[in-house]
Amino acid sequence: MFKVTLEDEFKKNPELKAEDIQDVQIWIKSQPHLPPVPDLTIVLFLQACRWDLDTTKNTIDLYYTCRTKYTDFFSDRDPLSEEIQDIAKAVQVAFLPLSDPEGNRILWTRIVDPDPTNYNFIALIKYMTMTMEVFQLENGTVPGLVVVCDTDNFTTSHFPRIPFKHAKNNMHYSQNASSILLKMIHYINANSFIHKVFKIFKPLFRSAVFDMTQLHSNLEPLFQVIPKEIVPQEYGGKAMSLAEMNELNLKKLEEYRQYFKDQQVIVVDEKKRIRKNAKS
């Protein structure tokens, strides 16, 4: 399903070595609990792990382990389902068309429906992870990922709708098993309540991720690192509206419906695990 080739990745990444891909493939074949992993998927992990082979192997193991274990997030991922269609109306999610000056791609999210009863945290994580997967299938490696979360409509009534167990599982997966290199997280329109929420979830952050997370009460600090002209027009930029991007994103996911269905069986078999390579 990749729209890029290995040749594309070798051109983009001088650090990429064919022998490293082969090394990881040999290791995967020595781990009977793991499913087959495409070469291009290995490239994503190598780049996300800064070309460290041991970290790459551990991360791949944890990636498939989490996706097998966290069924709430990774089962029944149908972009045409009521669950995904509804959350896409309540929360807009999309990659901006243009990168920042360092080449990082920007994932922008915004709650647009202030009614907390329409805020489904599990569905939102599904929608976001599906979005990131399709982005990587179409673009391959990128220098890094920057996440912008508009918290303007997040209220005290939304907070109880985030089950701590699922928040913890998502943080574990996104921080330790990701196939994309996270560079920065920006929470914009962050009021005093958002700061309190952030303190509550602080223990779930790895120190490195905590250090790259910033809360902004207004947009000016954001525009110091993300050029204003590339952001959605709702925020004063020249890009199309986030509403339009979100609609296009949902349609793109629908094109990958069969892919998501096929991924249901790409899991680990714990009965065949011969040694524990990473905590699950």
Side-chain angles (χ1 to χ4, degrees), residues 227-239:
K228 184 176 181 179
E229 58 266 21
I230 73 170
V231 309
Q233 61 186 42
E234 298 99 320
Y235 300 88
K238 296 180 180 179

Side-chain angles (χ1 to χ4, degrees), residues 60-98:
I60 287 174
D61 193 333
L62 187 58
Y63 173 85
Y64 287 104
T65 300
C66 286
R67 290 167 70 92
T68 303
K69 185 177 180 180
Y70 300 154
T71 54
D72 287 330
F73 297 146
F74 297 106
S75 63
D76 303 319
R77 296 194 303 164
D78 183 353
L80 292 178
S81 67
E82 184 177 355
E83 177 186 40
I84 298 300
Q85 293 288 321
D86 285 350
I87 195 61
K89 295 173 184 175
V91 184
Q92 295 170 344
V93 176
F95 275 91
L96 302 191
L98 299 178

Side-chain angles (χ1 to χ4, degrees), residues 75-234:
S75 63
D76 303 319
R77 296 194 303 164
D78 183 353
L80 292 178
S81 67
E82 184 177 355
E83 177 186 40
I84 298 300
Q85 293 288 321
D86 285 350
I87 195 61
K89 295 173 184 175
V91 184
Q92 295 170 344
V93 176
F95 275 91
L96 302 191
L98 299 178
S99 61
D100 72 8
E102 296 180 357
N104 301 313
R105 297 301 300 268
I106 303 159
L107 180 66
W108 200 292
T109 73
R110 175 181 66 168
I111 298 175
V112 288
D113 186 343
D115 185 349
T117 62
N118 293 325
Y119 182 77
N120 182 335
F121 179 75
I122 291 173
L124 176 58
I125 299 305
K126 276 191 182 185
Y127 186 34
M128 291 185 68
T129 53
M130 292 166 73
T131 296
M132 286 191 278
E133 276 182 55
V134 168
F135 175 83
Q136 289 197 291
L137 288 172
E138 299 221 328
N139 295 275
T141 61
V142 293
L145 170 69
V146 174
V147 179
V148 178
C149 300
D150 187 343
T151 63
D152 191 36
N153 285 321
F154 188 89
T155 68
T156 54
S157 298
H158 286 83
F159 181 67
R161 300 185 67 82
I162 303 178
F164 188 81
K165 172 189 174 183
H166 291 102
K168 182 178 180 180
N169 289 345
N170 175 57
M171 293 288 279
H172 178 58
Y173 170 79
S174 61
Q175 294 180 108
N176 301 295
S178 178
S179 59
I180 192 166
L181 185 60
L182 181 64
K183 292 290 188 69
M184 189 65 69
I185 306 172
H186 298 277
Y187 290 92
I188 59 175
N189 295 317
N191 56 30
S192 59
F193 175 64
I194 297 300
H195 283 263
K196 292 178 182 178
V197 172
F198 190 68
K199 288 181 180 179
I200 292 172
F201 285 117
K202 181 179 177 180
L204 301 182
F205 281 86
R206 290 173 55 189
S207 59
V209 177
F210 182 81
D211 290 343
M212 65 177 68
T213 303
Q214 296 185 1
L215 279 65
H216 310 296
S217 59
N218 59 67
L219 294 174
E220 290 311 311
L222 182 71
F223 293 150
Q224 293 178 14
V225 290
I226 298 178
K228 184 176 181 179
E229 58 266 21
I230 73 170
V231 309
Q233 61 186 42
E234 298 99 320

